[in-house]
Amino acid sequence: MADNLELLAIGETMVMVSPITGRLTADGTYLLQPGGAESNVAAHLARVGHRAGWASVLGSDPLGDIVLEALNTDGVDTESVARDPERPTAVYFKDPTSTGTTVYYYRSGSAASGMSRLDAQRWAARKPGIVHLSGITPALSDSCRDMVRHIVHERPFGDAVICFDINHRASLWNGEAADELLSLARSSDIVFVGRDEAESIWETSTAESVRALVPEPPHLIVKDGSHEAVSFTPDGLFREPARAVDVVDVVGAGDGFAAGWLSGMLQGQGEAVRLRMGHGVASRVVQSPTDGAELPSAADLAAEASSLTSTLSGPPRS
């Protein structure tokens, strides 16, 4: 088993059913692809050339085969994926409209909902440099919540950097999200959160008020949609405007941003470049009808971001 992974993403991936054209109808034609916040990050990083893996549990069914085949094609290491013969791979459907995309999830009792701290202890043998998690996983089941708490608070992965994307999904929670997600965020090393989702769960209105609530992580990145991203770091505060592009579908943009930023971190880039790399990947994802996108190499992403210095970035404010 390889132990040179730069990043291991842990979480549920479903089969995403998307209309090739038009809406969700009985006579439509559909594309089946993996859809999962954590595996999206791993796939983006693998596409640009990083050593990224994904750990989870899939059903022993054709839908699980679809997920594995697609992620392997993207170059994602899937050695840490188990198959469950009793529980199914989850699925969700996207219904695009002129005012946005509605998503219908069918994930109750899925194979991934059976993940536990025993899985995490087994995956820790991979010794990744970064462990990437999201706030979706602790909402899937009691055992998943215990697993995420174990990873974040008890650190079975040793010196690995813990990266936590809030990814609040209100439909998965029963009024417990605010305290749970806050506790996990405060104990992580890198935290990504949307300004709007932070406002909905913590009643914070600005990036600065999010930082006041979550002062512990060395890196806190607050994404403000199509406006900007704000990063709080040991070197100060950085702001970078988002890129203006024609949007096809915003689903998956946050995962793209996280992957771009993490690629910059793995390359040792400065914070402003990391933020621009995040915008660079996110801007490509929102121009695609799926969660994926055609991406340049990691080095080219960094070069592109560096070239924008004089036109998009002022000095960091602290």
Side-chain angles (χ1 to χ4, degrees):
M1 184 178 288
D3 62 357
N4 62 346
L5 289 176
E6 294 179 275
L7 176 140
L8 182 66
I10 300 172
E12 179 170 54
T13 294
M14 300 168 283
V15 167
M16 174 178 62
V17 183
S18 306
I20 291 178
T21 59
R23 295 194 57 185
L24 192 63
T25 60
D27 59 353
T29 303
Y30 299 92
L31 184 65
L32 275 64
Q33 291 185 312
E38 301 85 3
S39 65
N40 282 345
V41 172
H44 291 315
L45 286 169
R47 288 188 196 110
V48 303
H50 292 288
R51 300 185 304 280
W54 171 63
S56 189
V57 183
L58 293 167
S60 298
D61 50 31
L63 296 181
D65 296 340
I66 289 171
V67 171
L68 275 184
E69 181 179 352
L71 292 176
N72 287 333
T73 299
D74 282 331
V76 176
D77 181 307
T78 59
E79 286 188 28
S80 297
V81 178
R83 308 297 292 268
D84 187 332
E86 303 296 330
R87 301 186 186 193
T89 302
V91 63
Y92 71 101
F93 296 79
K94 294 175 72 172
D95 186 17
T97 72
S98 59
T99 57
T101 299
T102 302
V103 180
Y104 300 93
Y105 294 98
Y106 301 88
R107 68 196 312 173
S108 179
S110 69
S113 70
M115 290 187 294
S116 72
R117 66 166 58 203
L118 295 178
D119 294 303
Q121 291 165 2
R122 184 175 68 255
W123 296 330
R126 304 302 307 275
K127 300 180 181 178
I130 300 171
V131 174
H132 180 71
L133 303 161
S134 88
I136 298 171
T137 307
L140 297 180
S141 68
D142 290 343
S143 66
C144 282
R145 187 173 307 183
D146 178 67
M147 178 189 72
V148 174
R149 288 173 175 172
H150 177 57
I151 293 171
V152 173
H153 298 305
E154 299 176 34
R155 301 284 176 137
F157 286 85
D159 294 334
V161 172
I162 301 298
C163 177
F164 187 64
D165 192 331
I166 297 299
N167 253 322
H168 177 234
R169 299 289 187 270
S171 62
L172 295 176
W173 291 90
N174 296 313
E176 305 167 327
D179 290 343
E180 185 69 35
L181 295 175
L182 182 59
S183 174
L184 292 168
R186 285 175 167 169
S187 295
S188 298
D189 304 310
I190 302 168
V191 174
F192 293 97
V193 62
R195 190 205 58 77
D196 55 347
E197 66 179 343
E199 184 171 10
S200 70
I201 56 176
W202 297 325
E203 299 182 350
T204 52
S205 58
T206 64
E208 287 78 6
S209 60
V210 177
R211 184 54 163 177
L213 183 68
V214 191
E216 294 88 351
H219 294 275
L220 171 68
I221 301 93
V222 182
K223 303 163 293 179
D224 195 358
S226 61
H227 179 47
E228 67 175 354
V230 182
S231 180
F232 299 88
T233 80
D235 296 323
L237 184 155
F238 295 76
R239 316 182 88 99
E240 285 293 330
R243 300 186 190 183
V245 296
D246 293 327
V247 176
V248 174
D249 188 354
V250 299
V251 176
D255 306 327
F257 184 94
W261 189 94
L262 288 166
S263 177
M265 177 186 179
L266 289 167
Q267 295 181 70
Q269 300 293 337
E271 187 61 28
V273 171
R274 296 180 194 181
L275 291 173
R276 290 184 217 119
M277 291 178 69
H279 286 314
V281 177
S283 68
R284 288 169 168 89
V285 171
V286 300
Q287 295 178 79
S288 165
T290 71
D291 292 357
E294 292 293 328
L295 299 174
S297 69
D300 286 344
L301 270 175
E304 174 189 79
S306 298
S307 73
L308 299 174
T309 303
S310 60
T311 57
L312 290 184
S313 178
R317 287 179 269 171
S318 59

